Amino acid sequence: MAKTILVTGGAGYIGSHTVLQLLLGGFSTVVVDNLDNSSEIAIDRVRELAGDFGRNLSFHKIDLRDKPALEKLFSATKFDAVIHFAGLKAVGESVQKPLLYYNNNIVGTITLLEVMAAHGCKKIVFSSSATVYGWPKVVPCTEEFPLVAANPYGRTKLYIEEICRDIYRSDSEWKVILLRYFNPVGAHHSGYIGEDPHGIPNNLMPFVQQVAVGRRPALTVFGNDYNTKDGTGVRDYVHVDDLAHGHIAALNKLEEANIGCEVYNLGTGKGTSVLEMVAAFEKASGKKIPLVIAGRRPGDAEVVYASTDKAERELNWKAKYNIDDMCRDQWNWASKNPYGYGPQDNSS
Ligand code: NAD
Ligand code: UD1
């Protein structure tokens, strides 16, 4: 019988791409999302892209902190596992509004874990982040590196990781996989779903994409005095569809005995600078991206990229797409949906 997966935050960027792969992989998928940073149109499009499998998708507009609503959902459906994406993710906003972040991300997760435990569903894949490596002393980052957090957003990731380790220590029936994503970019090759952040994008590629479609005049480059090949920050960009497949690999891993609580990096293992990324996007789009060089962004690291050995060895997962593929698909999505899922006047 088809397995049924609950996906929290499934209307969001990584969630929508993962839900599509789940459906195509034959999973029955239930999404809960409060649509705080997403649109139900993404769910409709995923359903269309999934063709006949689209009928195995249902959506519930629920905030994770609404325990009675979650209880009701778990009473009505037996979930085989949960993929937990739901959370707020803007670093700057988390510094301004730490209680909002602790409440949304941590209280939301605790509520989810309590309801899961009460209903005997003890398998979860959680979206952590390379942010827990801070400014690493050496690269590539392996899963054993010391963990730090430079801001409230990062602390929510770190605390939730620790909460997961604690629940496993207290009850060995739990099977938990913590996935530390590096820098997800790109979009599904159809150009029908992609990233559509509300407000001014914090991350590099959504900003570049908005410059390319004329919504913003120029990209501000945060620092060109780093000790890197061209002075700009280096990151490990990974195609969102590769990440989506990483979640299927994690679900398969949860089926093995004695998983406990395991952590995996999801990245490509390759570092790319801001200027290299901009050049690749210009090549893919044929658009010039005007640049304004500015000072470093507080809290930014110099060079961060993943060691992918553990995920390759234990999840049998390896990223397939390169930077050119990522930029091609990002541009395909941006050019077809210059204002994302929303109307033009909602998009500033
Ligand atoms: P996103 O904002 O597109 O998706 C998150 C979804 O969660 C949104 O649809 C939002 O509406 C929903 N949500 C937030 N709080 C909720 C709540 N209390 N109840 C119900 N739904 C809620 O973000 P994304 O890029 O798809 O990221 C998914 C996860 O991966 C997040 O936890 C994020 O922190 C993590 N992550 C993202 C990146 C990245 O660069 N995109 C990197 C590392 C980790
Ligand atoms: C940022 C967050 C990190 C989070 C990750 C994914 C900070 C300090 N870190 O990481 O916690 O997990 O996003 O959501 O915010 N850049 C520019 N101009 C821009 C935007 C970015 O030059 O307008 C540069 C940055 O300085 C960096 C690179 O592009 O060198 C990538 O930036 P970004 O996409 O924000 O990702 P991270 O810095 O890795």
Side-chain angles (χ1 to χ4, degrees):
M1 219 177 69
K3 290 209 162 66
T4 303
I5 310 300
L6 175 68
V7 181
T8 77
Y13 173 45
I14 308 169
S16 55
H17 288 79
T18 303
V19 169
L20 177 57
Q21 296 309 325
L22 285 169
L23 293 169
L24 296 176
F27 291 93
S28 200
T29 308
V30 176
V31 169
V32 300
D33 197 304
N34 64 3
L35 301 181
D36 191 90
N37 194 37
S38 52
S39 161
E40 200 174 339
I41 299 169
I43 296 289
D44 297 338
R45 293 195 181 180
V46 165
R47 197 176 275 120
E48 273 183 57
L49 287 169
D52 286 348
F53 292 110
R55 75 171 88 91
N56 298 329
L57 170 61
S58 67
F59 172 68
H60 302 266
K61 185 169 186 276
I62 291 176
D63 189 297
L64 272 193
R65 293 161 294 180
D66 182 349
K67 197 169 186 180
L70 272 191
E71 284 281 1
K72 204 168 147 203
L73 195 64
F74 274 79
S75 299
T77 310
K78 190 186 168 311
F79 295 110
D80 292 287
V82 175
I83 305 182
H84 176 31
F85 293 105
L88 296 173
K89 62 166 188 177
V91 172
E93 186 187 49
S94 81
V95 175
Q96 302 303 321
K97 301 176 183 170
L99 292 178
L100 173 70
Y101 273 66
Y102 292 129
N103 190 300
N104 191 80
N105 294 4
I106 297 184
V107 175
T109 301
I110 291 174
T111 308
L112 173 68
L113 293 169
E114 284 174 347
V115 176
M116 286 176 68
H119 290 265
C121 172
K122 296 186 181 172
K123 290 182 189 161
I124 186 167
V125 177
F126 171 65
S127 306
S128 188
S129 166
T131 195
V132 299
Y133 296 123
W135 182 321
K137 287 199 180 79
V138 290
V139 278
C141 302
T142 69
E143 287 82 352
E144 295 75 36
F145 273 23
L147 305 180
V148 293
N151 50 63
Y153 164 75
R155 266 183 282 282
T156 68
K157 293 296 171 196
L158 203 51
Y159 296 160
I160 293 169
E161 283 204 6
E162 296 295 3
I163 289 168
C164 289
R165 285 185 268 273
D166 284 339
I167 57 170
Y168 170 66
R169 273 183 215 118
S170 74
D171 174 358
S172 61
E173 280 181 14
W174 278 97
K175 291 181 169 188
V176 182
I177 292 191
L178 309 169
L179 296 177
R180 293 184 185 144
Y181 314 147
F182 281 67
N183 294 66
V185 298
H188 186 257
H189 61 81
S190 62
Y192 212 43
I193 54 173
E195 184 165 18
D196 180 26
H198 292 179
I200 300 170
N202 302 291
N203 297 120
L204 178 66
M205 291 314 281
F207 203 101
V208 167
Q209 152 188 331
Q210 293 194 5
V211 175
V213 298
R215 286 172 59 179
R216 306 196 183 273
L219 171 74
T220 303
V221 176
F222 297 138
N224 65 351
D225 60 348
Y226 287 109
N227 187 20
T228 60
K229 41 197 152 188
D230 56 26
T232 63
V234 168
R235 295 290 184 275
D236 185 338
Y237 298 93
V238 54
H239 196 295
V240 66
D241 270 337
D242 276 328
L243 270 195
H245 285 288
H247 290 77
I248 311 286
L251 280 184
N252 292 335
K253 184 78 182 171
L254 285 179
E255 293 309 312
E256 289 178 15
N258 307 319
I259 293 304
C261 180
E262 274 298 333
V263 51
Y264 296 97
N265 288 337
L266 293 186
T268 63
K270 296 186 182 69
T272 305
S273 74
V274 175
L275 296 183
E276 286 174 330
M277 206 58 190
V278 169
F281 189 85
E282 286 182 333
K283 193 172 96 188
S285 64
K287 300 277 179 189
K288 183 88 197 131
I289 305 296
L291 302 179
V292 174
I293 307 293
R296 297 179 179 195
R297 181 171 61 177
D300 263 357
E302 189 162 76
V303 178
V304 187
Y305 59 90
S307 161
T308 58
D309 294 352
K310 189 176 176 197
E312 282 177 36
R313 203 172 54 239
E314 296 184 18
L315 294 182
N316 201 17
W317 174 88
K318 188 173 164 48
K320 291 194 301 221
Y321 297 110
N322 64 27
I323 295 297
D324 291 332
D325 301 326
M326 297 175 211
C327 290
R328 176 200 63 213
D329 292 342
Q330 182 108 22
W331 175 240
N332 187 35
W333 152 253
S335 55
K336 287 179 174 157
N337 306 271
Y339 287 87
Y341 296 113
Q344 195 154 333
D345 56 359
N346 256 355
S347 57
S348 60

